Amino acid sequence: MMVGLPDSTKIDELNTAKDLAKLRPKIMRIYPVLVIKNTELAKMYEAGEYEPINLEQAVETCKELYYFFEQKRINVIRMGLQNTDLITNPEKIESEVVAGPYHEAFGQLVESRIWYDSIVNKIKQFNVKVKEVEIELNPRDVNHVIGHKKENVEKLKEFYDVDIKIVQNEKKAPGKFDLKILQVFSEENKTEAIKK
């Protein structure tokens, strides 16, 4: 499935996802539209008739579609085009990409955003102002929790003032994690340890 096609809205894309789910596929790939040289879309882009979605829009839309397909038990096996010699950073001379939400680690951006949402949702379930948490997970998932260029760690600190401690455990199933509060803010803005 492609997102960001000409004249396509978010509602159109969700309706497309619903139609695709009715076909009961076992797997799904989600690609944001990239403008490639010497195509009709490139002509539309150069004429000002098409404006590609930006990277943030692409990540958010793909995340929502991932959630939708997951609820329908459809396995999303790829998000974003695979990086090649020609499908690469538009700033490179050899790149065939003219414009669009290109990122060499697009799939990781989406998966990291999904992990971020899961962590924030678990933290919000506690009825306290959390200062530090421990996240126990499979080593394969560490990069998703940290986020691309530590984006998740920095966002948790910036928006929620939460520090995370990661504990790797080979026995944890990939995609699953346990979250334990290590510290909360006291009423006097001091931190106190919570024993669990």
Side-chain angles (χ1 to χ4, degrees), residues 6 8 13 31 65 69 83-84 91 111 142 162 166 174 196:
S8 181
E13 287 158 357
Y31 303 110
L65 291 171
F69 288 125
N83 193 36
T84 67
E91 295 174 7
E111 289 186 55
V142 170
V162 173
I166 293 175
K196 285 202 168 188

Side-chain angles (χ1 to χ4, degrees), residues 33-47:
V33 173
L34 299 178
V35 180
I36 306 296
K37 287 179 184 175
N38 303 316
T39 63
E40 285 300 313
L41 194 59
K43 290 176 188 173
M44 290 173 65
Y45 172 72
E46 288 159 10

Side-chain angles (χ1 to χ4, degrees), residues 102-114:
Y102 171 82
H103 194 283
E104 67 276 359
F106 184 83
Q108 185 191 5
L109 293 181
V110 180
E111 289 186 55
S112 294
R113 191 72 57 90
I114 291 164

Side-chain angles (χ1 to χ4, degrees), residues 127-156:
N127 196 22
V128 290
K129 176 77 171 85
V130 176
K131 170 67 180 159
E132 184 180 16
V133 296
E134 176 184 283
I135 299 171
E136 184 180 358
L137 71 167
N138 189 286
R140 289 169 45 181
D141 295 322
V142 170
N143 286 339
H144 296 312
V145 169
I146 293 171
H148 186 70
K149 296 186 178 177
K150 296 187 177 180
E151 179 184 38
N152 287 352
V153 173
E154 291 170 4
K155 278 170 55 180
L156 284 165

Side-chain angles (χ1 to χ4, degrees), residues 1-5 8 13 16 29-34 65 81:
M1 176 176 174
M2 300 186 82
V3 300
L5 288 165
S8 181
E13 287 158 357
T16 298
R29 295 177 176 91
I30 307 171
Y31 303 110
V33 173
L34 299 178
L65 291 171
L81 288 170

Side-chain angles (χ1 to χ4, degrees), residues 43-167:
K43 290 176 188 173
M44 290 173 65
Y45 172 72
E46 288 159 10
E49 298 168 1
Y50 171 72
E51 183 65 35
I53 59 175
N54 64 38
L55 184 61
E56 178 62 22
Q57 291 169 317
V59 169
E60 277 298 308
T61 301
C62 289
K63 180 187 79 172
E64 289 179 29
L65 291 171
Y66 175 90
Y67 287 143
F68 172 79
F69 288 125
E70 184 182 59
Q71 288 174 349
K72 299 293 183 183
R73 297 184 180 184
I74 299 168
N75 185 22
V76 177
I77 62 169
R78 174 172 283 283
M79 289 177 282
L81 288 170
Q82 185 171 345
N83 193 36
T84 67
D85 291 340
L86 300 177
I87 306 298
T88 187
N89 190 329
E91 295 174 7
K92 293 185 177 180
I93 296 171
E94 65 273 15
S95 177
E96 291 289 311
V97 179
V98 176
Y102 171 82
H103 194 283
E104 67 276 359
F106 184 83
Q108 185 191 5
L109 293 181
V110 180
E111 289 186 55
S112 294
R113 191 72 57 90
I114 291 164
W115 275 87
Y116 177 82
D117 287 353
S118 297
I119 292 165
V120 168
N121 287 338
K122 278 212 176 188
I123 290 171
K124 286 181 176 179
Q125 290 174 6
F126 297 104
N127 196 22
V128 290
K129 176 77 171 85
V130 176
K131 170 67 180 159
E132 184 180 16
V133 296
E134 176 184 283
I135 299 171
E136 184 180 358
L137 71 167
N138 189 286
R140 289 169 45 181
D141 295 322
V142 170
N143 286 339
H144 296 312
V145 169
I146 293 171
H148 186 70
K149 296 186 178 177
K150 296 187 177 180
E151 179 184 38
N152 287 352
V153 173
E154 291 170 4
K155 278 170 55 180
L156 284 165
K157 185 66 177 171
E158 180 182 352
F159 295 113
Y160 297 100
D161 203 13
V162 173
D163 293 313
I164 64 170
K165 177 183 175 186
I166 293 175
V167 175

